[in-house]
Amino acid sequence: MGLAAARQMPQEEILVLSGRTLKKLEKAVEELEKAGYEAHAFACDTSRREDVEALAAYAAGLGDVCKVIHAAGLSPAMASPEQLLRVNALGTVYVNRAFRNVMNHGVIVDVSSSSAYVLPDFVVSNGLCDLAERDEERMVRHLLRICSLVPDAYKKAGLAYALSKKFVIRYAQLCAARYGREGIRVVSISPGLVATDMGKLESGEGGRMLAYTAEHRMGTPEELGWAIASLADERNGYLAGVDVLCDGGAVWGRRCRKVHDEPARSGSSAFALQG
Ligand SMILES: NC(=O)c1ccc[n+]([C@@H]2O[C@H](COP(=O)([O-])OP(=O)(O)OC[C@H]3O[C@@H](n4cnc5c(N)ncnc54)[C@H](OP(=O)(O)O)[C@@H]3O)[C@@H](O)[C@H]2O)c1
């Protein structure tokens, strides 16, 4: 999704692509250079604060940093609950803070997930976001304790993923309130199931949500790339401190699911509102 968003950036912007695997980044840089961009690769593991700080410094060395798209993440099938919390949740703390320090103005788009919407808001409070900044080990232990309530290993990872992504939304909101006066706008986006490498890996469990989407299909990386790029575009400058749910209608389709089959395009329909 990050690369799909990069393909939608204005050609005059210098692009820095990041992730853990340099080979993958170099291939993407080659593709973008062929398309006329100036692009650079910089390897970084977002669960390591010093890596993220080095990435921010590298980007700032190339010019004014004006857009940060934080799409790095791991899914339940890829990692343990602890890794999910460290990469997805703490990674967001490191990215937002490190880039705030090098930005004079601009936008940060944090990528969350529609999985966050299965949890009530209170599970991730502003207090927990503060704790992540003050004592990250305590914050991770707190969320791992919640995960330990679930017996099944995949469901444990699923809960850790949902918690990590709930954290992304709440932390982005907090940063929007804190950084706004400095001219830095912060928003988050929550994709539904999208046909990237990760989406294909999760399509078994996550595929159940497809029945509730408007078109009964996965999103494409291009659709999400466009949504992310438009959130980062300054023409959307009044969009801050919110999460944009970009899931083909799945979350609300499920909440408003039909109790009776609706006759196609005629007659009245009955819906049950859930939750
Ligand atoms: N695809 C979906 O259905 C879906 C749904 C909802 C939300 N999302 C979220 O959308 C974002 C983008 O996912 P995607 O679908 O584009 O997945 P993807 O194709 O697997 O891309 C994720 C990228 O993150 C990088 N990454 C993973 N861990 C990292 C780490 N510790 N440090 C730095 N980079 C790391 C990976 O590169 P390396 O492995 O080389 O590091 C990879 O390039 C993720 O945050 C994901 O949770 C995806």
Side-chain angles (χ1 to χ4, degrees):
M1 273 184 231
L3 178 57
R7 292 187 188 118
Q8 302 287 348
M9 290 296 142
Q11 287 255 335
E12 66 275 13
E13 286 176 6
I14 300 173
L15 307 177
V16 178
L17 307 190
S18 192
R20 293 165 304 177
T21 322
L22 193 58
K23 255 208 169 107
K24 248 168 53 178
L25 300 172
E26 285 170 347
K27 193 166 158 237
V29 162
E30 201 181 306
E31 177 211 306
L32 290 165
E33 282 176 344
K34 275 193 194 135
Y37 288 95
E38 176 180 341
H40 300 265
F42 191 93
C44 157
D45 179 340
T46 52
S47 65
R48 293 164 54 91
R49 187 199 301 271
E50 58 279 17
D51 276 23
V52 180
E53 283 168 358
L55 169 67
Y58 176 78
L62 293 170
D64 213 9
V65 178
C66 55
K67 289 179 185 167
V68 177
I69 291 170
H70 170 40
L74 294 174
S75 68
M78 294 170 163
S80 69
E82 182 166 350
Q83 282 171 312
L84 292 167
L85 294 170
R86 291 192 183 277
V87 171
N88 298 352
L90 285 182
T92 303
V93 175
Y94 302 154
V95 168
N96 288 13
R97 295 185 94 186
F99 279 93
R100 177 198 197 180
N101 288 339
V102 299
M103 288 168 85
N104 295 317
H105 65 101
V107 58
I108 300 175
V109 181
D110 290 315
V111 180
S112 176
S113 165
S114 61
S115 304
Y117 284 74
V118 302
L119 297 174
D121 288 344
F122 68 82
V123 292
V124 177
S125 61
N126 287 348
L128 196 77
C129 294
D130 279 334
L131 184 64
E133 293 181 340
R134 277 185 290 111
D135 187 346
E136 57 188 49
E137 295 308 320
R138 224 174 110 201
M139 181 282 242
V140 169
R141 278 201 306 277
H142 170 77
L143 291 181
L144 282 176
R145 261 198 308 277
I146 298 180
C147 297
S148 70
L149 300 173
V150 179
D152 171 79
Y154 183 81
K155 290 205 169 97
K156 227 187 258 288
L159 179 55
Y161 181 74
L163 284 166
S164 71
K165 293 300 190 176
K166 195 84 185 169
F167 181 93
V168 172
I169 294 176
R170 181 56 74 103
Y171 192 70
Q173 287 168 343
L174 200 69
C175 292
R178 286 179 179 164
Y179 304 178
R181 255 169 293 167
E182 298 163 18
I184 302 169
R185 185 167 67 84
V186 186
V187 287
S188 62
I189 180 167
S190 287
L193 194 63
V194 181
T196 60
D197 291 347
M198 179 188 293
K200 288 173 197 159
L201 199 64
E202 299 293 342
S203 59
E205 190 71 14
R208 289 187 297 151
M209 282 304 279
L210 294 183
Y212 303 110
T213 57
E215 296 180 21
H216 290 232
R217 65 172 176 87
M218 288 168 105
T220 66
E222 292 73 24
E223 286 169 325
L224 268 295
W226 173 246
I228 292 168
S230 51
L231 292 184
D233 191 300
E234 270 322 297
R235 283 170 287 186
N236 256 328
Y238 205 50
L239 206 58
V242 287
D243 183 66
V244 174
L245 179 59
C246 188
D247 69 338
V251 166
W252 281 96
R254 185 158 184 266
R255 289 181 188 174
C256 306
R257 69 178 158 219
K258 294 174 188 182
V259 286
H260 302 299
D261 281 343
E262 182 193 16
R265 290 182 184 273
S266 64
S268 61
S269 55
F271 290 89
L273 276 172
Q274 223 203 18

